[in-house]
Short mmCIF file of all heavy atoms in Angstrom, two decimals:
data_model
loop_
_atom_site.label_atom_id
_atom_site.label_comp_id
_atom_site.label_asym_id
_atom_site.label_seq_id
_atom_site.Cartn_x
_atom_site.Cartn_y
_atom_site.Cartn_z
N VAL D 710 58.64 -28.22 109.64
CA VAL D 710 59.16 -27.46 110.76
C VAL D 710 59.39 -26.01 110.35
O VAL D 710 59.76 -25.76 109.20
CB VAL D 710 60.47 -28.08 111.39
CG1 VAL D 710 60.21 -29.37 112.03
CG2 VAL D 710 61.52 -28.23 110.29
N VAL D 711 59.23 -25.09 111.33
CA VAL D 711 59.41 -23.67 111.05
C VAL D 711 60.28 -23.12 112.18
O VAL D 711 59.93 -23.22 113.35
CB VAL D 711 58.02 -22.95 110.95
CG1 VAL D 711 58.30 -21.47 110.79
CG2 VAL D 711 57.20 -23.51 109.84
N GLU D 712 61.32 -22.44 111.82
CA GLU D 712 62.25 -21.73 112.72
C GLU D 712 61.77 -20.33 112.98
O GLU D 712 61.21 -19.66 112.12
CB GLU D 712 63.66 -21.70 112.25
CG GLU D 712 64.29 -23.05 111.88
CD GLU D 712 64.09 -23.39 110.41
OE1 GLU D 712 63.19 -22.85 109.76
OE2 GLU D 712 64.93 -24.17 109.92
N SER D 713 61.97 -19.86 114.25
CA SER D 713 61.71 -18.49 114.55
C SER D 713 62.66 -18.02 115.65
O SER D 713 63.38 -18.82 116.26
CB SER D 713 60.25 -18.29 115.03
OG SER D 713 60.00 -19.05 116.21
N GLY D 714 62.65 -16.71 115.89
CA GLY D 714 63.49 -16.16 116.98
C GLY D 714 64.74 -15.45 116.54
O GLY D 714 65.39 -14.84 117.39
N GLY D 715 65.08 -15.47 115.26
CA GLY D 715 66.30 -14.80 114.83
C GLY D 715 66.14 -13.28 114.84
O GLY D 715 65.00 -12.74 114.97
N GLY D 716 67.24 -12.62 114.67
CA GLY D 716 67.23 -11.13 114.66
C GLY D 716 68.61 -10.58 114.76
O GLY D 716 69.60 -11.26 114.64
N LEU D 717 68.67 -9.26 115.05
CA LEU D 717 69.90 -8.49 115.25
C LEU D 717 70.19 -8.33 116.70
O LEU D 717 69.30 -7.87 117.44
CB LEU D 717 69.83 -7.18 114.52
CG LEU D 717 70.97 -6.22 114.72
CD1 LEU D 717 72.25 -6.76 114.12
CD2 LEU D 717 70.63 -4.86 114.13
N VAL D 718 71.37 -8.66 117.12
CA VAL D 718 71.72 -8.60 118.56
C VAL D 718 73.18 -8.18 118.64
O VAL D 718 73.98 -8.42 117.73
CB VAL D 718 71.49 -9.92 119.29
CG1 VAL D 718 72.41 -11.01 118.70
CG2 VAL D 718 71.68 -9.78 120.74
N GLN D 719 73.56 -7.41 119.71
CA GLN D 719 74.85 -6.98 119.91
C GLN D 719 75.72 -8.12 120.46
O GLN D 719 75.22 -9.03 121.08
CB GLN D 719 74.91 -5.80 120.85
CG GLN D 719 74.27 -4.55 120.31
CD GLN D 719 74.44 -3.36 121.25
OE1 GLN D 719 74.73 -3.50 122.43
NE2 GLN D 719 74.24 -2.14 120.72
N PRO D 720 77.04 -8.06 120.25
CA PRO D 720 77.95 -9.08 120.82
C PRO D 720 77.72 -9.16 122.36
O PRO D 720 77.55 -8.11 123.01
CB PRO D 720 79.32 -8.59 120.47
CG PRO D 720 79.16 -7.81 119.20
CD PRO D 720 77.79 -7.13 119.33
N GLY D 721 77.71 -10.34 122.88
CA GLY D 721 77.44 -10.58 124.27
C GLY D 721 75.95 -10.72 124.60
O GLY D 721 75.62 -11.14 125.74
N GLY D 722 75.05 -10.50 123.64
CA GLY D 722 73.66 -10.63 123.86
C GLY D 722 73.16 -12.01 123.69
O GLY D 722 73.94 -12.95 123.48
N SER D 723 71.86 -12.19 123.78
CA SER D 723 71.20 -13.51 123.76
C SER D 723 70.06 -13.53 122.77
O SER D 723 69.40 -12.47 122.57
CB SER D 723 70.72 -13.93 125.14
OG SER D 723 71.76 -13.99 126.05
N LEU D 724 69.80 -14.68 122.18
CA LEU D 724 68.59 -14.95 121.42
C LEU D 724 68.14 -16.38 121.75
O LEU D 724 68.95 -17.21 122.11
CB LEU D 724 68.88 -14.87 119.98
CG LEU D 724 69.03 -13.46 119.34
CD1 LEU D 724 69.50 -13.62 117.85
CD2 LEU D 724 67.77 -12.65 119.38
N ARG D 725 66.82 -16.57 121.56
CA ARG D 725 66.31 -17.93 121.72
C ARG D 725 65.57 -18.31 120.42
O ARG D 725 64.62 -17.66 120.06
CB ARG D 725 65.31 -18.00 122.90
CG ARG D 725 64.85 -19.42 123.23
CD ARG D 725 63.97 -19.45 124.50
NE ARG D 725 63.57 -20.80 124.87
CZ ARG D 725 64.26 -21.57 125.64
NH1 ARG D 725 65.46 -21.20 126.19
NH2 ARG D 725 63.81 -22.77 125.97
N LEU D 726 66.07 -19.32 119.78
CA LEU D 726 65.49 -19.82 118.53
C LEU D 726 64.57 -21.03 118.85
O LEU D 726 64.81 -21.78 119.73
CB LEU D 726 66.51 -20.32 117.55
CG LEU D 726 67.67 -19.34 117.17
CD1 LEU D 726 68.58 -19.98 116.16
CD2 LEU D 726 67.09 -18.03 116.73
N SER D 727 63.45 -21.10 118.13
CA SER D 727 62.48 -22.16 118.29
C SER D 727 62.29 -22.92 116.96
O SER D 727 62.22 -22.25 115.87
CB SER D 727 61.13 -21.63 118.80
OG SER D 727 61.24 -21.24 120.12
N CYS D 728 62.16 -24.21 117.06
CA CYS D 728 61.86 -25.07 115.93
C CYS D 728 60.50 -25.64 116.22
O CYS D 728 60.40 -26.53 117.11
CB CYS D 728 62.91 -26.12 115.68
SG CYS D 728 62.57 -27.35 114.44
N ALA D 729 59.48 -25.28 115.49
CA ALA D 729 58.09 -25.73 115.74
C ALA D 729 57.66 -26.71 114.70
O ALA D 729 57.88 -26.52 113.48
CB ALA D 729 57.17 -24.51 115.73
N ALA D 730 57.02 -27.83 115.12
CA ALA D 730 56.61 -28.89 114.21
C ALA D 730 55.09 -28.76 113.88
O ALA D 730 54.29 -28.28 114.64
CB ALA D 730 56.86 -30.25 114.82
N SER D 731 54.79 -29.16 112.66
CA SER D 731 53.39 -29.22 112.20
C SER D 731 53.22 -30.63 111.57
O SER D 731 54.01 -31.02 110.67
CB SER D 731 53.08 -28.15 111.21
OG SER D 731 51.76 -28.26 110.70
N GLY D 732 52.23 -31.34 112.02
CA GLY D 732 51.87 -32.64 111.39
C GLY D 732 52.55 -33.86 112.01
O GLY D 732 52.28 -35.01 111.63
N PHE D 733 53.48 -33.62 113.02
CA PHE D 733 54.09 -34.73 113.72
C PHE D 733 54.61 -34.24 115.10
O PHE D 733 54.67 -33.06 115.35
CB PHE D 733 55.24 -35.34 112.87
CG PHE D 733 56.42 -34.42 112.66
CD1 PHE D 733 57.56 -34.59 113.37
CD2 PHE D 733 56.31 -33.40 111.76
CE1 PHE D 733 58.63 -33.76 113.15
CE2 PHE D 733 57.43 -32.58 111.51
CZ PHE D 733 58.56 -32.77 112.22
N THR D 734 54.99 -35.19 115.88
CA THR D 734 55.48 -34.90 117.26
C THR D 734 56.99 -34.97 117.25
O THR D 734 57.57 -36.03 116.97
CB THR D 734 54.86 -35.94 118.27
OG1 THR D 734 53.45 -35.84 118.23
CG2 THR D 734 55.39 -35.58 119.65
N LEU D 735 57.60 -33.88 117.63
CA LEU D 735 59.09 -33.78 117.58
C LEU D 735 59.73 -34.74 118.58
O LEU D 735 60.88 -35.12 118.37
CB LEU D 735 59.52 -32.36 117.86
CG LEU D 735 59.42 -31.34 116.71
CD1 LEU D 735 59.92 -30.04 117.17
CD2 LEU D 735 60.17 -31.84 115.50
N ASP D 736 59.02 -35.16 119.58
CA ASP D 736 59.54 -36.02 120.67
C ASP D 736 60.09 -37.31 120.05
O ASP D 736 61.01 -37.91 120.63
CB ASP D 736 58.44 -36.34 121.62
CG ASP D 736 58.89 -37.10 122.78
OD1 ASP D 736 59.82 -36.61 123.52
OD2 ASP D 736 58.38 -38.23 123.03
N TYR D 737 59.56 -37.78 118.90
CA TYR D 737 59.96 -39.06 118.34
C TYR D 737 61.19 -38.93 117.44
O TYR D 737 61.71 -39.97 116.97
CB TYR D 737 58.84 -39.64 117.47
CG TYR D 737 57.57 -39.88 118.27
CD1 TYR D 737 56.30 -39.50 117.77
CD2 TYR D 737 57.60 -40.62 119.45
CE1 TYR D 737 55.17 -39.75 118.47
CE2 TYR D 737 56.43 -40.90 120.15
CZ TYR D 737 55.22 -40.44 119.65
OH TYR D 737 54.05 -40.72 120.37
N TYR D 738 61.71 -37.74 117.22
CA TYR D 738 62.78 -37.56 116.25
C TYR D 738 63.99 -36.90 116.87
O TYR D 738 63.93 -36.23 117.94
CB TYR D 738 62.22 -36.64 115.11
CG TYR D 738 61.14 -37.28 114.34
CD1 TYR D 738 59.78 -37.07 114.72
CD2 TYR D 738 61.34 -38.10 113.24
CE1 TYR D 738 58.78 -37.70 114.07
CE2 TYR D 738 60.29 -38.71 112.60
CZ TYR D 738 59.02 -38.44 113.03
OH TYR D 738 57.97 -39.09 112.33
N HIS D 739 65.09 -37.06 116.20
CA HIS D 739 66.34 -36.37 116.51
C HIS D 739 66.33 -35.04 115.78
O HIS D 739 66.14 -34.99 114.56
CB HIS D 739 67.55 -37.21 116.03
CG HIS D 739 67.50 -38.66 116.47
ND1 HIS D 739 67.97 -39.10 117.66
CD2 HIS D 739 67.02 -39.74 115.81
CE1 HIS D 739 67.80 -40.39 117.76
NE2 HIS D 739 67.18 -40.82 116.66
N ILE D 740 66.60 -33.95 116.52
CA ILE D 740 66.51 -32.64 115.97
C ILE D 740 67.87 -31.93 116.06
O ILE D 740 68.42 -31.84 117.12
CB ILE D 740 65.45 -31.82 116.69
CG1 ILE D 740 64.06 -32.56 116.79
CG2 ILE D 740 65.24 -30.42 116.03
CD1 ILE D 740 63.50 -32.90 115.49
N LYS D 741 68.34 -31.41 114.93
CA LYS D 741 69.62 -30.82 114.90
C LYS D 741 69.52 -29.38 114.32
O LYS D 741 68.81 -29.16 113.34
CB LYS D 741 70.57 -31.66 114.02
CG LYS D 741 72.03 -31.20 114.08
CD LYS D 741 72.93 -32.27 113.51
CE LYS D 741 74.40 -31.90 113.73
NZ LYS D 741 75.31 -32.98 113.22
N TRP D 742 70.22 -28.43 114.96
CA TRP D 742 70.36 -27.06 114.42
C TRP D 742 71.63 -27.01 113.68
O TRP D 742 72.68 -27.42 114.13
CB TRP D 742 70.38 -26.12 115.61
CG TRP D 742 69.06 -25.82 116.18
CD1 TRP D 742 68.54 -26.39 117.36
CD2 TRP D 742 68.06 -24.88 115.76
NE1 TRP D 742 67.28 -25.89 117.61
CE2 TRP D 742 67.01 -24.98 116.67
CE3 TRP D 742 67.98 -24.00 114.70
CZ2 TRP D 742 65.83 -24.20 116.54
CZ3 TRP D 742 66.89 -23.21 114.56
CH2 TRP D 742 65.81 -23.31 115.47
N PHE D 743 71.51 -26.46 112.45
CA PHE D 743 72.62 -26.14 111.59
C PHE D 743 72.69 -24.66 111.40
O PHE D 743 71.70 -23.92 111.54
CB PHE D 743 72.51 -26.81 110.20
CG PHE D 743 72.54 -28.34 110.25
CD1 PHE D 743 71.40 -29.03 110.49
CD2 PHE D 743 73.74 -28.99 109.98
CE1 PHE D 743 71.40 -30.42 110.46
CE2 PHE D 743 73.78 -30.39 109.94
CZ PHE D 743 72.60 -31.11 110.20
N ARG D 744 73.87 -24.13 110.93
CA ARG D 744 73.98 -22.80 110.51
C ARG D 744 74.82 -22.68 109.25
O ARG D 744 75.71 -23.58 109.05
CB ARG D 744 74.49 -21.90 111.60
CG ARG D 744 75.90 -22.16 112.06
CD ARG D 744 76.30 -21.28 113.27
NE ARG D 744 77.68 -21.51 113.69
CZ ARG D 744 78.16 -21.01 114.79
NH1 ARG D 744 77.43 -20.20 115.60
NH2 ARG D 744 79.44 -21.31 115.14
N GLN D 745 74.62 -21.67 108.45
CA GLN D 745 75.34 -21.54 107.20
C GLN D 745 75.54 -20.10 106.81
O GLN D 745 74.59 -19.27 107.01
CB GLN D 745 74.57 -22.24 106.09
CG GLN D 745 75.35 -22.34 104.79
CD GLN D 745 74.73 -23.31 103.77
OE1 GLN D 745 73.52 -23.54 103.78
NE2 GLN D 745 75.56 -23.83 102.98
N VAL D 746 76.73 -19.78 106.45
CA VAL D 746 77.12 -18.48 105.89
C VAL D 746 77.38 -18.67 104.40
O VAL D 746 77.99 -19.66 103.99
CB VAL D 746 78.37 -17.95 106.61
CG1 VAL D 746 78.78 -16.57 106.00
CG2 VAL D 746 78.07 -17.86 108.08
N PRO D 747 76.93 -17.71 103.55
CA PRO D 747 77.17 -17.92 102.12
C PRO D 747 78.64 -18.10 101.79
O PRO D 747 79.54 -17.45 102.35
CB PRO D 747 76.71 -16.56 101.53
CG PRO D 747 75.65 -16.10 102.50
CD PRO D 747 76.11 -16.55 103.87
N GLY D 748 78.93 -19.10 100.95
CA GLY D 748 80.29 -19.44 100.58
C GLY D 748 81.02 -20.40 101.54
O GLY D 748 82.13 -20.77 101.25
N LYS D 749 80.37 -20.82 102.61
CA LYS D 749 80.95 -21.73 103.59
C LYS D 749 80.09 -22.98 103.75
O LYS D 749 78.90 -22.95 103.44
CB LYS D 749 81.15 -21.07 104.91
CG LYS D 749 82.08 -19.86 104.88
CD LYS D 749 82.28 -19.25 106.28
CE LYS D 749 82.97 -20.21 107.25
NZ LYS D 749 83.26 -19.56 108.60
#
Protein backbone atom coordinates (compact mmCIF):
# COMPACT_ATOMS: atom_id res chain seq x y z
CA VAL A 1 0.00 0.00 0.00
CA VAL A 2 1.13 3.56 -0.72
CA GLU A 3 -0.18 6.69 0.99
CA SER A 4 -0.50 10.03 -0.76
CA GLY A 5 -2.13 13.42 -0.27
CA GLY A 6 -0.19 14.86 2.64
CA GLY A 7 1.18 18.36 2.70
CA LEU A 8 1.16 21.73 4.44
CA VAL A 9 -2.21 23.27 5.26
CA GLN A 10 -3.41 26.12 7.46
CA PRO A 11 -5.58 25.49 10.52
CA GLY A 12 -9.17 25.04 9.45
CA GLY A 13 -8.16 23.70 6.06
CA SER A 14 -8.70 20.30 4.48
CA LEU A 15 -6.67 17.46 3.01
CA ARG A 16 -7.65 14.15 1.45
CA LEU A 17 -5.31 11.21 2.01
CA SER A 18 -5.42 8.11 -0.17
CA CYS A 19 -4.22 4.57 0.53
CA ALA A 20 -3.66 2.76 -2.76
CA ALA A 21 -3.19 -1.00 -3.02
CA SER A 22 -0.94 -2.97 -5.34
CA GLY A 23 -1.23 -6.72 -5.78
CA PHE A 24 -4.48 -7.22 -3.88
CA THR A 25 -8.01 -5.86 -3.52
CA LEU A 26 -8.53 -3.63 -0.49
CA ASP A 27 -12.20 -4.54 -0.40
CA TYR A 28 -11.33 -7.83 1.33
CA TYR A 29 -9.38 -6.23 4.17
CA HIS A 30 -9.80 -4.01 7.19
CA ILE A 31 -7.93 -0.75 6.58
CA LYS A 32 -6.82 1.53 9.40
CA TRP A 33 -5.18 4.94 9.34
CA PHE A 34 -2.61 5.63 12.06
CA ARG A 35 -0.61 8.74 12.81
CA GLN A 36 2.62 9.25 14.70
CA VAL A 37 4.64 12.16 16.03
CA PRO A 38 8.29 11.57 17.01
CA GLY A 39 8.55 10.64 20.68
CA LYS A 40 4.88 9.73 21.01
